[in-house]
Amino acid sequence: MKKLVFWCFFLCWISLSWSQKKESFFYKNVPLIKVLSDIEKAFDVKYSYVDSLVTSQRISVPKKLYSLAEINTEIEKQSTLKVIQINDRFYSINHAKSIDDLEKIHQLEEVIVEEFLAKGIKKTSQHYIISPQKVQTLPGITDADILQSLQQLPGVKSPNETATGLYIRGGTADQNLILMDGIRLYHPGHLFGMISSINPNVEQTVNYYNKAVNPKFGERVSGIIDIKSTDKISNQTKINAGINALNADVYVQMPLVKEKLGLQLSGRKSYTEWLQSPTFNQLENKVFQNTNFEDFDNNNQFKFHDYSAKLNFKPNGKTEISLSGLVIKNDLDYRNVIETDSVSNQKMNIENYGFSLNWTQKHSPKFTQKALVFYSLYSFDYLKRQDYDTNKFEAFKKLNRVVDSGAELNFGYQINEKSNLDFGYQVYGNDISHLFNSYNQDIGVVLSLRHLYNITHAGFVYFKQDFGSWNFQPGLRYNFYSQMKASSFEPRLLLQKAISESLIWQASYERRSQVLSQVRENAANDLSLENYVWVLSDNNEYPIQKANQFTSGIIFKKNHWLLDVDAYYKNITGITSFTLGFLGQNGNEIRQGKGFTKGIDVLLQKSAASWRAWITYTYQDSQNRFSTLNDGYYFASNADIKHSFNLAFNKKWDNFLFTAGWFWHSGKPFSTIDDSGEITSYNAQRLPNYHRLDVSGSYQFKSTKGHTFKIGASIYNLYNRNALISKELERNYANVSDFITPRYSMQEFYSLGIMPNVFFRVNF
């Protein structure tokens, strides 16, 4: 017993002695960033902070011995900053705020990389954080388009040059979950996906996950893009407005009741139906190639708009309630004369709108509850009608509708400063239908009709634990699909080890599932750009997609150099040949198959006070296998881009910012057909390599009244290279036999030509 008491006393004494370790410091009006660097080396700790917070701060301390706590206290006394202990080794530096705000900061994930590619982009152990309003100019991008900004990250590609067609580690666009304050987005684009429909000028945070996804997220097997508008209640009315070569927008924050109730409104509207700028003309040429759309004017129009609203209510320091609404709409109305007595009219209407109610209740400093109720509707309505005279016509109609609604209840408990536990329950329903209908003055034929619904019940638990230099994050999600009587267990695990002050190792595993996806339509229309429809799994023709992903990588940071390397392997089951647009040559049955993707993402970045340069490289091998296609052998998937390389640079001179980027990737695979229109090989050939150069520049200044103005310009594809980016198989329906034996024709799609854009913004 005496020995036990002795050892307990000895260990406590050692621990106390270590905590009271002191080092000698002496500074006279020295930059704080230098002091922090010295403290990190002396006590083997790490500070996380935003550069702008500390660069202007300077401190002075008399020469003597200081403990870590004492030197931190000196920093707080001589600045407007607060030093917050995250764990034994990591500290966060923030503005001094209220106790409630400090408790929220304490629970934030540690930021591993404060400026990833550009200011406004951060990286944690689990995901990327993008603040669009803070992102500096990126190559070829104006107004910080959210989905286009993501394409600057390694492993995120859009080989078809759209903002919405994101291929994330071999996944297709429909395998990405996009949330806006909990509202599910099924069509997050304008102009056929060339720009995103998420207004980047709203004050918001984008959380992007490509691995080790928090188990509260399900529903998709690839990337997660979780967008959250700010919950802050402004103490005065703020207006942010701007215009570019496609649209104008405005964003307003206003207090309704001081510190209790606030309102946010945003609106963005195209003017392409009245004025067709050179930017729009270039997009039109790219989007409508291989169609009979020629020129747009005030009669033949394409227009879009999006609106959002959010009401924030904070009755006290422990309760936050917000109500969000979103409307996204695209309209096309095109009429042309084919012959003297024949007029063709094509109309398309795409809508995605919804609302959500979020409630956060802080029951104690350690226990928090979050509740969400959401509703989302996606509607696609396309009509092509050809009138020959007053009594004869032919028409084709396509409808696709998705209704998605549900509720979530999440709980978070901070066990201690090293441990966190999150758990919750979710229930949501999917009601999906589509109709393809061909008719004339005499008869109507239903080409395809489908209507299914499902209710999913999900429970999840997520745990975080620090063990010294180790970080351990296990999680589990369980889904029950009521209509299909099926279920899935989805374990998640993230391991992180701080090998040294400069080197971090990470590894992860996750399993995810998906019950709704997009497939190529089995009907003909001239609008090939929108030839996908959303369908729901039935556990028969359309099985549940399931994916497993393993990753391992390192992050090395030293002397303003950053090296991020991440290798991954992902396999997936439940894919169909219909999803890829491949139908058999002896029938229209849907083939089921599986696939895998393996690859490596690399980023090398060098930062300085006024410039930053980075290189990204991705190697990827993505293949699919169907037992009745290609003799049962694996073949390259449509998302298989073997090599991708980006080189970018930005430079700041006072209020000027210039950035340039060169993008290169190997060609996409494509299938071949014979003279009879039958498939002879599946993605066995490759398109030529693709490359382009983008540049952007901006200038920001303030008026004497404190208003901020920003002007800028960008040029996409500066040297105007016309690249072949896709060869797509289009189903032919020339005669009755084509419905029995699939016959295809090949269409070629080329890249976007040189495209200038300009913008002007004002904040007041």
Side-chain angles (χ1 to χ4, degrees):
M1 183 65 182
K2 290 182 178 179
K3 288 184 177 181
L4 179 60
V5 173
F6 170 78
W7 281 110
C8 289
F9 174 79
F10 178 75
L11 291 174
C12 290
W13 179 81
I14 291 294
S15 176
L16 183 62
S17 299
W18 179 256
S19 65
Q20 296 300 317
K21 175 186 176 184
K22 294 190 175 184
E23 294 286 342
S24 176
F25 294 103
F26 170 62
Y27 298 109
K28 188 174 182 179
N29 196 30
V30 175
L32 177 57
I33 195 167
K34 160 67 174 165
V35 177
L36 293 175
S37 177
D38 291 345
I39 298 173
E40 288 178 334
K41 294 176 182 177
F43 292 99
D44 190 25
V45 295
K46 188 66 178 176
Y47 291 98
S48 175
Y49 52 84
V50 178
D51 287 349
S52 58
L53 284 180
V54 300
T55 50
S56 61
Q57 304 272 1
R58 307 177 77 89
I59 70 171
S60 301
V61 297
K63 185 175 182 180
K64 70 172 188 175
L65 295 175
Y66 293 87
S67 68
L68 178 59
E70 289 171 341
I71 194 69
N72 283 339
T73 300
E74 285 295 329
I75 293 173
E76 292 180 342
K77 285 181 180 179
Q78 299 185 39
S79 68
T80 59
L81 304 176
K82 183 71 176 179
V83 181
I84 305 164
Q85 184 174 2
I86 304 299
N87 55 38
D88 290 343
R89 186 168 180 265
F90 292 96
Y91 290 78
S92 174
I93 296 180
N94 295 273
H95 280 299
K97 299 183 179 182
S98 66
I99 297 299
D100 285 344
D101 287 339
L102 291 179
E103 288 174 348
K104 290 178 185 177
I105 293 171
H106 182 80
Q107 297 176 18
L108 291 178
E109 290 189 75
E110 178 216 346
V111 175
I112 297 176
V113 181
E114 188 65 47
E115 294 183 2
F116 195 92
L117 301 185
K119 287 186 177 180
I121 303 178
K122 306 176 183 179
K123 183 177 183 180
T124 73
S125 62
Q126 196 180 32
H127 66 292
Y128 298 86
I129 303 173
I130 301 175
S131 302
Q133 285 192 319
K134 299 177 182 179
V135 173
Q136 292 180 333
T137 304
L138 292 170
I141 299 175
T142 57
D143 279 355
D145 186 290
I146 290 174
L147 299 184
Q148 287 183 344
S149 296
L150 287 174
Q151 295 176 31
Q152 306 284 326
L153 299 174
V156 184
K157 302 303 168 193
S158 180
N160 291 329
E161 290 191 326
T162 62
T164 58
L166 299 183
Y167 288 23
I168 298 176
R169 294 189 164 182
T172 54
D174 64 304
Q175 293 173 342
N176 301 323
L177 176 64
I178 303 178
L179 306 171
M180 180 66 195
D181 286 341
I183 303 169
R184 277 63 177 164
L185 300 186
Y186 289 88
H187 194 273
H190 290 314
L191 278 171
F192 294 92
M194 296 306 297
I195 63 174
S196 68
S197 58
I198 306 156
N199 189 338
N201 299 298
V202 173
E203 189 174 339
Q204 57 198 339
T205 300
V206 181
N207 297 286
Y208 161 65
Y209 300 78
N210 64 359
K211 66 177 180 182
V213 173
N214 189 314
K216 71 179 180 181
F217 295 112
E219 306 175 58
R220 301 292 192 278
V221 297
S222 194
I224 304 292
I225 303 169
D226 182 26
I227 306 165
K228 295 180 179 179
S229 57
T230 183
D231 292 324
K232 295 179 182 177
I233 297 176
S234 177
N235 56 12
Q236 61 182 354
T237 299
K238 298 179 181 179
I239 300 176
N240 181 343
I243 187 170
N244 60 34
L246 296 172
N247 56 258
D249 71 275
V250 62
Y251 172 58
V252 180
Q253 288 180 292
M254 64 180 73
L256 301 180
V257 178
K258 185 178 181 181
E259 298 181 352
K260 297 289 185 181
L261 187 65
L263 178 65
Q264 302 172 45
L265 299 171
S266 80
R268 180 168 53 163
K269 176 73 176 69
S270 68
Y271 54 82
T272 54
E273 61 268 39
W274 307 306
L275 175 65
Q276 294 77 45
S277 67
T279 304
F280 176 77
N281 291 334
Q282 286 292 74
L283 291 172
E284 172 199 341
N285 293 336
K286 196 264 182 185
V287 166
F288 295 107
Q289 54 185 308
N290 294 320
T291 71
N292 61 0
F293 296 82
E294 295 179 355
D295 294 305
F296 283 83
D297 51 33
N298 294 340
N299 294 319
N300 292 324
Q301 299 181 352
F302 184 88
K303 55 187 177 181
F304 62 84
H305 62 252
D306 55 75
Y307 305 104
S308 69
K310 185 172 184 178
L311 189 67
N312 290 321
F313 178 49
K314 297 183 180 181
N316 53 58
K318 296 182 178 181
T319 304
E320 295 183 6
I321 300 173
S322 65
L323 179 63
S324 302
L326 178 69
V327 175
I328 299 170
K329 191 170 183 180
N330 287 259
D331 287 297
L332 171 72
D333 189 351
Y334 192 90
R335 179 185 297 268
N336 63 318
V337 177
I338 299 176
E339 297 175 358
T340 305
D341 59 347
S342 178
V343 177
S344 175
N345 185 210
Q346 298 191 59
K347 294 183 178 181
M348 183 196 70
N349 174 263
I350 304 176
E351 295 181 348
N352 197 160
Y353 62 85
F355 69 84
S356 66
L357 176 65
N358 284 271
W359 169 35
T360 299
Q361 185 69 41
K362 193 167 189 178
H363 296 284
S364 73
K366 291 188 175 183
F367 185 62
T368 304
Q369 163 219 306
K370 295 183 179 181
L372 165 68
V373 177
F374 68 89
Y375 174 86
S376 178
L377 173 67
Y378 163 76
S379 175
F380 180 97
D381 189 340
Y382 170 76
L383 174 64
K384 176 187 177 183
R385 180 181 173 115
Q386 189 162 329
D387 291 285
Y388 299 101
D389 55 38
T390 55
N391 298 317
K392 293 183 179 181
F393 71 90
E394 289 182 354
F396 170 78
K397 189 173 186 65
K398 170 185 171 181
L399 301 174
N400 190 200
R401 181 182 174 93
V402 179
V403 179
D404 194 345
S405 60
E408 302 178 9
L409 188 60
N410 303 338
F411 299 95
Y413 181 68
Q414 186 174 352
I415 302 171
N416 54 51
E417 63 181 18
K418 296 184 179 181
S419 305
N420 285 284
L421 178 66
D422 296 325
F423 57 95
Y425 167 75
Q426 303 168 348
V427 58
Y428 48 89
N430 302 119
D431 187 324
I432 302 180
S433 59
H434 73 258
L435 167 68
F436 302 149
N437 188 23
S438 181
Y439 57 96
N440 57 32
Q441 68 280 354
D442 298 319
I443 191 172
V445 178
V446 176
L447 301 175
S448 182
L449 174 63
R450 188 181 184 91
H451 183 195
L452 291 173
Y453 72 95
N454 176 68
I455 297 176
T456 301
H457 300 269
F460 70 90
V461 61
Y462 183 48
F463 180 68
K464 296 182 183 179
Q465 175 69 55
D466 285 334
F467 297 99
S469 61
W470 285 90
N471 182 261
F472 180 59
Q473 299 181 27
L476 177 66
R477 180 183 178 88
Y478 171 75
N479 300 298
F480 176 69
Y481 308 110
S482 60
Q483 303 307 117
M484 293 176 280
K485 307 299 181 185
S487 62
S488 67
F489 283 93
E490 300 178 4
R492 319 275 173 90
L493 176 63
L494 174 65
L495 286 174
Q496 184 182 50
K497 166 68 174 176
I499 298 174
S500 69
E501 182 180 343
S502 304
L503 183 62
I504 297 172
W505 170 79
Q506 291 185 151
S508 72
Y509 165 74
E510 65 180 348
R511 180 174 176 83
R512 287 194 272 160
S513 60
Q514 178 169 337
V515 296
L516 70 166
S517 58
Q518 285 183 311
V519 300
R520 291 279 293 270
E521 68 179 41
N522 189 23
N525 71 76
D526 291 339
L527 213 56
S528 58
L529 288 158
E530 293 291 345
N531 61 353
Y532 284 87
V533 294
W534 285 99
V535 298
L536 186 64
S537 298
D538 56 10
N539 223 12
N540 183 20
E541 281 189 326
Y542 298 100
I544 300 172
Q545 296 183 27
K546 296 183 179 181
N548 297 276
Q549 182 177 218
F550 305 83
T551 75
S552 180
I554 61 167
I555 298 175
F556 178 78
K557 299 184 299 176
K558 192 169 185 179
N559 298 330
H560 303 290
W561 283 93
L562 169 65
L563 175 64
D564 187 347
V565 181
D566 203 36
Y568 58 91
Y569 175 82
K570 179 166 66 175
N571 60 53
I572 184 171
T573 60
I575 60 176
T576 67
S577 57
F578 203 3
T579 303
L580 304 176
F582 294 139
L583 293 177
Q585 297 181 6
N586 299 314
N588 290 342
E589 68 271 19
I590 300 170
R591 270 70 172 182
Q592 298 179 10
K594 61 182 180 179
F596 71 84
T597 299
K598 57 184 178 181
I600 185 168
D601 296 332
V602 180
L603 167 79
L604 179 63
Q605 177 178 298
K606 172 63 175 176
S607 302
S610 63
W611 62 270
R612 177 177 286 107
W614 64 89
I615 297 172
T616 66
Y617 169 74
T618 295
Y619 166 78
Q620 178 183 295
D621 181 17
S622 182
Q623 299 186 36
N624 294 326
R625 180 181 179 273
F626 301 89
S627 58
T628 55
L629 296 180
N630 199 43
D631 296 325
Y633 293 107
Y634 277 97
F635 59 89
S637 74
N638 290 350
D640 185 47
I641 305 294
K642 291 292 185 187
H643 304 279
S644 179
F645 175 85
N646 298 345
L647 173 62
F649 172 83
N650 68 34
K651 171 67 177 176
K652 187 174 183 181
W653 296 275
D654 297 325
N655 294 329
F656 288 93
L657 182 66
F658 172 79
T659 182
W662 187 69
F663 303 85
W664 177 95
H665 66 72
S666 52
K668 278 183 62 178
F670 67 93
S671 300
T672 56
I673 57 176
D674 58 21
D675 293 338
S676 300
E678 295 187 358
I679 298 175
T680 56
S681 71
Y682 293 89
N683 285 352
Q685 302 296 319
R686 293 272 171 177
L687 297 174
N689 295 335
Y690 170 92
H691 57 85
R692 73 173 194 272
L693 175 65
D694 299 341
V695 296
S696 299
S698 65
Y699 176 71
Q700 184 170 305
F701 59 96
K702 285 187 177 182
S703 68
T704 55
K705 295 183 178 180
H707 303 330
T708 301
F709 299 88
K710 188 176 183 180
I711 58 175
S714 66
I715 302 178
Y716 185 97
N717 193 7
L718 180 63
Y719 47 68
N720 198 26
R721 183 171 185 268
N722 189 28
L724 178 62
I725 60 174
S726 181
K727 284 189 175 184
E728 302 291 338
L729 298 178
E730 295 295 326
R731 184 80 182 274
N732 292 335
Y733 290 93
N735 50 59
V736 176
S737 64
D738 289 336
F739 285 87
I740 301 173
T741 302
R743 197 164 58 89
Y744 298 88
S745 60
M746 184 72 73
Q747 289 192 343
E748 296 183 346
F749 294 88
Y750 288 84
S751 62
L752 182 65
I754 183 172
M755 185 185 73
N757 202 348
V758 294
F759 71 92
F760 171 76
R761 301 210 63 78
V762 58
N763 287 274
F764 54 90

